[in-house]
């Protein structure tokens, strides 16, 4: 009898141990928040989304196409940054859902339909890929619902009728305190072309210097025309500049056509013809043409798409040539960019005075306008974007406090299993397999 009891006890202990190991090794969820389990797929989705974004930024900003995990983001190793980001984003997701439900908020039928339509479209094109990463359709749906809940919570506090709604007067004051209003014309600089050893040749340097002297002289010519011209009337100078660029482009195009024709008539070898084409491509006409867009649509901030006239309207946009930029809330790294330095120059200028400026890229004419002449209208036309600028940091503090109050327990086994490198390797394997099939 005693022996039988020992065997029974041993079997019971073994079963309890097995059950315990199974529970502890369950990586289908990444954390618990109160009584809720958060799918690991939401964590992987956050990790994958941020990974794709950061790799895109590395390519466009630094030309990096590989060795991503040798890079740093915000002072952290790439894999450490991604793990921290995904964990924080997933905790915030849990806190958003909890607060949303606590306040008794609901998503509209229109919101649900939009999310479902987005999921259907995404799954048709990328469903197999997400599943290869361990991300279910339900996890993506929950992540998208969480994003929409976050927007609704923001509006619950700060939008019209919200608990801490921002008044029109507050928004106008924010504009007056932080924004710059300006117009610009730019004359692109020509850089010396390099030889096979990546060093500029003497002839190329001389040619670039000559082109830049010409560009600077032309800038100074237009600057002279702009003396005494008001901010509003500066549009006339921009129009004249655009006419000049169009005329120059047409003349250069005609010259190139004539040159090509002449070379073709006088030469019997393809080498001669190609050399004419090569000399044509060194013209500064393309640089001048690119600066037309600089003078009329230069981007400064998220709220710079500030046309206040509907695109379908026949009325011309009175603000088409000007920029509004939030210089007051730029951090030091943003102020150290080429655009930040332009804004710093504008901030120190007097209104209605055309001023010369130069950087490594171009010669400029800048003119500053008075934000107060437009603040009420701009605040009305860009209310949503401005609201986010004004209250995003404050809302983030609320969100962080919700996370801290929530009883979150992280499943470290899931975190260790779904590392950024694992996610990246699966992505590489999937696309390599499907691109070769």
């Amino acid at each position: 009898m005693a022996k039988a009891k020992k065997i029974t006890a041993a079997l019971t202990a073994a079963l309890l141990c097995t059950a315990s190991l199974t529970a502890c090794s369950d990586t289908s969820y990444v954390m618990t928040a109160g009584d809720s389990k958060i799918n690991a797929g939401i964590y992987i989705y956050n990790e994958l989304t941020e990974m794709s974004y950061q790799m895109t930024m590395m390519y466009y900003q630094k030309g990096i196409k590989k060795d991503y995990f040798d890079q740093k983001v915000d002072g952290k190793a790439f894999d450490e940054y991604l793990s921290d980001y995904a964990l924080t984003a997933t905790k915030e997701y849990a806190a958003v859902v909890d607060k949303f439900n606590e306040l008794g908020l609901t998503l509209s039928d229109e919101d649900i339909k939009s999310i479902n339509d987005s999921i259907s479209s995404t799954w048709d094109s990328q469903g197999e890929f997400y599943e290869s990463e361990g991300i279910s359709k339900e996890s993506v749906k929950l992540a998208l619902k969480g994003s929409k809940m976050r927007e609704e919570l923001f509006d619950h506090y700060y939008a019209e009728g919200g608990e801490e709604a921002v008044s029109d007067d507050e928004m106008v004051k924010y504009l007056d305190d932080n924004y710059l209003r300006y117009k610009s014309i730019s004359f692109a600089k020509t850089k010396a072309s390099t030889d096979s050893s990546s060093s500029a040749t003497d002839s190329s340097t001389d040619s670039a210097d000559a082109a830049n002297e010409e560009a600077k002289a032309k800038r100074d010519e237009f600057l002279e025309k702009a003396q005494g011209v008001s901010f509003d009337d500066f549009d006339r100078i921009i129009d004249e500049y655009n006419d000049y660029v169009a005329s120059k482009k047409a003349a250069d195009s005609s010259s190139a056509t004539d040159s090509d024709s002449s070379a073709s008539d006088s030469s019997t070898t393809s080498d001669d013809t190609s050399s004419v084409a090569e000399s044509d491509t060194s013209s500064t006409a393309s640089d001048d043409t690119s600066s037309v867009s600089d003078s009329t649509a230069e981007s400064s901030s998220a709220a710079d798409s500030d046309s206040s006239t509907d695109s379908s309207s026949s009325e011309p946009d009175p603000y088409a040539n000007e920029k509004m930029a939030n210089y007051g809330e730029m951090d030091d790294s943003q102020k150290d960019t080429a655009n930040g330095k332009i804004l710093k120059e504008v901030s120190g200028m007097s209104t209605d005075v055309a001023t010369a400026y130069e950087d490594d890229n171009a010669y400029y004419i800048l003119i500053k306008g008075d934000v107060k002449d437009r603040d009420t209208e701009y605040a009305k036309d860009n209310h949503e974007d401005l609201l986010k600028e004004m209250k995003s940091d404050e809302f983030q503090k609320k969100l962080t406090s919700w996370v801290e109050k929530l009883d979150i327990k992280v499943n470290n086994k899931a975190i260790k299993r779904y590392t950024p490198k694992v996610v990246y390797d699966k992505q590489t394997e999937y696309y390599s397999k499907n691109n070769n099939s």
Side-chain angles (χ1 to χ4, degrees), residues 415-432:
I415 300 296
K416 291 178 181 178
R417 177 179 179 183
Y418 306 115
T419 67
K421 191 65 168 64
V422 167
V423 172
Y424 175 78
D425 288 344
K426 284 186 176 181
Q427 175 181 266
T428 303
E429 180 183 357
Y430 175 84
Y431 284 114
S432 176

Side-chain angles (χ1 to χ4, degrees), residues 40-52:
I42 296 174
Y43 173 84
I44 303 169
Y45 178 82
N46 288 330
E47 200 170 33
L48 180 64
T49 302
E50 182 65 10
M51 179 187 295
S52 298

